[in-house]
């Protein structure tokens, strides 16, 4: 199985799970945090938590240069310290999974890396958790839940992909073709996207094939946890034994939260993130991405986590997609580069191979118009180094004093303008002080800046 796990000691799980339940109550139960501040013992007793105030004492969070939040316990050796370490291990595991998502296919690998850089410039530090999975599956057409917060705007449930002999053979063939083309990273996705995974009564049968061929155990995000308690208990037993992935339960109401707590012990949910998706929750996760609001406005957000292929087994279609900031042209926060259909494993193989060839050439053509990426400002610092500021959340420093002025001029010329690479070179070299830089060097740097996500091609290519 996967080499990536969250290394928590079995003897620490109980304390970690209890601290986690307190944190969830603060995030989802109206007034609980105030009651905890006013009378900690009474508040903790009300939810059955036998921890002391010392066990729940934290220093202020800090943020790493990469944008990750770090927790710090006030006292060593406490449940709070174990929980803070657990949260750090989760971040490290997520970053390892992001690295595991790197495709073997050279063109797709370079293309995915550019998408990771691009979305960082569009969203800033908020993109740090995006894994950019190269492949994910849908084994249903639509969703039975109809959550109003659905960022992917899933339609109503039409049908599911049942585990018949014919469908099983097709699914296994598609899995193998994916593994042949993408490599080990093909197993880093899920068996849901704009669907509810547990809508499919045969989910566990497809999961067995997925694990056998793609090795990994895909995570679940479900809004139907209270309807499928026994199914989830069996799935969580594997998750908790292997400590490799995080499941997510969308919590649609306060009553649903209490039902989840009645059905599952804190230990069973230690590797489950509960997402507060109801308006009374102090930390609700509502987003306008995918809703009518995003048709009129632009948001520096998306919930899309795929830079690669979304395969719907019911419709037998594939779309090549990558995240972007939601706007009227991309209301679901994703750029869809191509859609296609397949009939069998071989036509699927030909389809995604063709998509890679058509959209992942990773070259700027002579006719491509370039412009400066979203949310980017550049300046020269007092020490002469080049600073690229992304949404005032991520600052990247380049020690390139001999080139800094030219880079500033290059970025300035592409701010609110569209130019081909040759036009840019010609325009830059009209200034005598930039004649010392050869056209080849300028073109090389333009390529570097494009791959780093600072420059955008105006249309048709990302």
């Amino acid at each position: 199985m996967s080499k990536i796990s969250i290394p928590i000691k079995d003897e620490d799980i109980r304390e970690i799970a209890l601290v986690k339940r307190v944190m969830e109550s603060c995030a989802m139960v109206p007034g609980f945090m105030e009651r905890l501040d006013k009378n900690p013992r009474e508040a903790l007793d009300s939810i059955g938590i036998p921890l002391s105030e010392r066990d729940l004492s934290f220093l202020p969070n800090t943020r790493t240069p990469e944008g990750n939040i770090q927790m710090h316990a006030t006292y060593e050796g406490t449940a709070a310290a174990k929980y803070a370490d657990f949260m750090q291990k989760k971040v490290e595991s997520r970053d390892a999974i992001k690295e595991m998502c790197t495709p073997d296919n050279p063109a797709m690998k370079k293309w995915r890396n550019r998408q990771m850089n691009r979305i960082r410039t569009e969203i800033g530090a908020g993109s740090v958790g995006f894994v950019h999975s190269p492949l994910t599956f849908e084994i249903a057409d639509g969703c039975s839940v109809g959550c109003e917060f659905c960022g992917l705007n899933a339609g109503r449930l039409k049908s599911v992909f049942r585990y018949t002999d014919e469908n099983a053979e097709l699914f296994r063939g598609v899995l193998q073709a994916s593994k042949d083309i993408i490599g080990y990273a093909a197993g880093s996705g899920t068996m849901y996207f704009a669907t509810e995974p547990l809508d499919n009564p045969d989910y566990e049968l497809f999961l067995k094939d997925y694990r056998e061929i793609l090795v990994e155990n895909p995570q679940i995000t479900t809004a139907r946890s209270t309807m499928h308690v026994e199914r989830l208990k069996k799935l969580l037993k594997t998750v908790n034994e292997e400590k490799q992935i995080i499941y997510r339960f969308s919590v649609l109401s306060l009553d649903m939260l209490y039902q989840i707590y009645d059905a599952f012990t804190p230990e069973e949910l230690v590797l489950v993130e509960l997402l507060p998706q109801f308006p009374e929750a102090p930390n609700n996760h509502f987003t306008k991405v995918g809703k009518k609001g995003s048709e009129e406005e632009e948001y520096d957000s998306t919930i899309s986590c795929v830079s690669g292929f979304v395969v719907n087994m019911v419709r037998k279609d594939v779309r090549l997609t990558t995240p972007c900031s939601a706007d009227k042209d991309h209301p679901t926060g994703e750029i869809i580069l191509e859609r296609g259909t397949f009939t069998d494993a071989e036509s699927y193989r030909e389809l995604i191979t063709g998509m890679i060839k058509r959209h992942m050439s990773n070259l700027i053509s002579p006719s491509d118009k370039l412009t400066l990426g979203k949310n980017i400002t550049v300046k020269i610092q007092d020490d002469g180094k080049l600073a690229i500021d992304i949404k005032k959340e991520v600052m990247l420093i380049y020690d390139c004093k001999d080139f800094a002025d030219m880079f500033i001029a290059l970025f300035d010329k592409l701010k609110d303008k569209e130019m081909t690479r040759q036009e840019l070179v010609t325009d830059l070299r009209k200034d005598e002080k930039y004649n010392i830089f050869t056209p080849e060097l300028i073109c090389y740097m333009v390529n570097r800046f494009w791959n780093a996500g600072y420059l955008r091609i105006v249309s048709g290519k990302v």
Side-chain angles (χ1 to χ4, degrees):
M1 293 303 297
S2 170
K3 300 173 184 176
I4 299 170
S5 63
I6 304 172
I8 50 177
K9 297 176 182 177
D10 290 341
E11 59 266 29
D12 292 338
I13 288 177
R14 171 70 175 167
E15 288 180 285
I16 292 170
L18 291 174
V19 176
K20 176 176 174 289
R21 186 152 288 194
V22 174
M23 294 296 184
E24 290 164 351
S25 297
C26 289
M28 284 183 273
V29 179
F32 181 82
M33 186 178 291
E34 291 76 9
R35 287 189 281 126
L36 187 64
D37 287 339
K38 185 177 180 179
N39 191 329
R41 186 68 271 147
E42 182 179 291
L44 294 173
D45 287 345
S46 73
I47 59 172
I49 301 297
L51 295 177
S52 67
E53 292 180 54
R54 184 183 177 90
D55 277 321
L56 293 165
S57 180
F58 292 91
L59 298 171
N61 293 342
T62 58
R63 190 179 285 273
T64 68
E66 297 77 23
N68 293 318
I69 292 175
Q70 285 189 314
M71 300 183 72
H72 308 277
T74 306
Y75 307 105
E76 293 184 7
T78 60
K82 295 173 183 178
Y83 183 79
D85 181 65
F86 165 69
M87 294 300 288
Q88 179 61 31
K89 294 289 196 306
K90 278 179 61 177
V91 170
E92 292 169 1
S93 173
R94 182 205 65 204
D95 292 344
I97 290 171
K98 185 186 294 188
E99 183 63 28
M100 185 193 81
C101 288
T102 304
D104 288 348
N105 181 280
M108 191 174 188
K109 177 180 179 180
K110 188 173 182 180
W111 176 85
R112 174 180 172 272
N113 189 62
R114 188 168 68 252
Q115 306 320 308
M116 293 170 65
N117 292 334
R118 175 187 54 78
I119 199 66
R120 178 184 57 175
T121 69
E122 292 185 16
I123 293 179
S127 70
V128 68
F130 295 4
V131 297
H132 293 268
S133 172
L135 176 72
T136 200
F137 291 93
E138 297 173 331
I139 53 175
D141 185 5
C143 176
S144 68
V145 188
C147 299
E148 64 176 40
F149 57 81
C150 181
L152 293 169
N153 201 23
R156 64 178 179 81
L157 181 64
K158 300 179 182 66
S159 61
V160 298
F161 189 66
R162 297 306 302 264
Y163 196 83
T164 63
D165 290 344
E166 181 182 358
N167 285 349
E169 182 182 0
L170 175 61
F171 187 62
R172 290 177 65 85
V174 166
L175 292 176
Q176 188 60 55
S178 300
K179 186 176 182 180
D180 293 344
I181 294 167
I182 298 172
Y184 180 67
S188 61
T190 65
M191 289 198 294
Y192 72 92
F193 192 60
T195 65
E196 160 57 53
L198 298 181
D199 277 345
N200 193 317
D202 298 329
Y203 179 91
E204 291 83 351
L205 297 174
F206 289 110
L207 174 64
K208 184 176 181 295
D209 288 343
Y210 190 104
R211 285 168 61 96
E212 181 181 326
I213 295 173
L214 298 186
V215 179
E216 288 298 317
N217 186 28
Q219 74 160 42
I220 279 178
T221 297
T222 177
R224 293 296 198 193
S225 57
T226 54
M227 293 179 61
H228 299 284
V229 172
E230 293 309 313
R231 290 177 73 185
L232 284 166
K233 280 181 176 286
K234 292 176 182 177
L235 290 166
L236 286 173
K237 186 175 186 296
T238 300
V239 169
N240 290 331
E241 286 173 353
E242 297 178 354
K243 299 184 179 70
Q244 291 171 345
I245 56 170
I246 298 292
Y247 269 28
R248 296 189 178 97
F249 292 178
S250 292
V251 184
L252 308 185
S253 67
L254 188 58
D255 183 59
M256 185 176 184
L257 174 66
Y258 294 142
Q259 290 180 46
I260 291 170
Y261 282 169
D262 286 341
F264 300 93
T265 67
E267 291 90 339
E268 285 176 318
L269 296 181
V270 71
L271 293 178
V272 176
E273 294 178 347
L274 299 187
L275 309 179
Q277 305 282 19
F278 56 99
E280 312 95 282
N283 291 358
N284 76 69
H285 282 211
F286 282 156
T287 174
K288 290 186 177 180
V289 175
K291 300 180 186 178
K292 290 182 179 179
S294 59
E295 295 174 5
E296 303 298 330
E297 302 176 58
E298 182 168 323
Y299 301 94
D300 289 323
S301 62
T302 178
I303 68 164
S304 176
C305 57
V306 177
S307 280
F309 305 107
V310 178
V311 183
N312 186 282
M313 295 303 300
V314 179
R315 300 189 303 267
K316 296 182 178 60
D317 69 25
V318 179
R319 60 190 185 274
L320 176 58
T321 179
T322 185
C324 68
S325 299
D327 57 29
K328 61 184 178 63
D329 295 322
H330 309 95
T332 58
E334 56 176 337
I335 299 169
I336 298 176
L337 296 169
E338 186 180 342
R339 295 177 185 267
T341 59
F342 60 94
T343 56
D344 53 25
E346 190 54 37
S347 63
Y348 167 82
R349 184 188 296 269
E350 292 173 1
L351 178 61
I352 67 169
T353 301
M355 287 182 175
I356 291 172
K357 185 176 181 179
R358 288 187 289 275
H359 298 281
M360 301 180 191
S361 64
N362 297 302
L363 296 173
I364 301 173
S365 74
S367 61
D368 285 334
K369 294 279 189 177
L370 295 158
T371 190
L372 187 63
K374 291 183 179 180
N375 304 316
I376 292 177
T377 57
V378 292
K379 63 183 179 182
I380 298 176
Q381 298 189 138
D382 292 340
D383 60 5
K385 295 178 181 178
L386 181 72
I388 299 179
D389 194 1
I390 300 172
K391 269 203 75 186
K392 300 181 180 178
E393 293 182 341
V394 180
M395 179 75 78
L396 302 169
I397 309 300
Y398 290 85
D399 189 1
C400 53
K401 297 176 184 178
D402 294 337
F403 299 87
D405 282 338
M406 189 266 283
F407 293 159
I408 291 287
L410 187 155
F411 282 121
D412 281 345
K413 288 185 181 298
L414 291 175
K415 186 177 182 180
D416 302 321
K417 296 178 185 175
E418 301 174 3
M419 305 174 73
T420 66
R421 193 169 49 181
Q422 185 56 53
E423 288 169 342
L424 178 60
V425 169
T426 300
D427 205 31
L428 266 176
R429 298 186 81 244
K430 287 178 181 176
D431 190 321
E432 290 186 2
K433 66 180 178 181
Y434 301 131
N435 270 333
I436 61 171
F437 302 111
T438 66
E440 291 78 12
L441 174 62
I442 297 173
C443 285
Y444 171 75
M445 291 312 303
V446 168
N447 292 343
R448 288 284 302 273
F449 290 144
W450 177 54
N451 281 308
Y454 309 141
L455 304 181
R456 302 172 64 199
I457 292 177
V458 176
S459 63
K461 188 185 296 185
V462 292

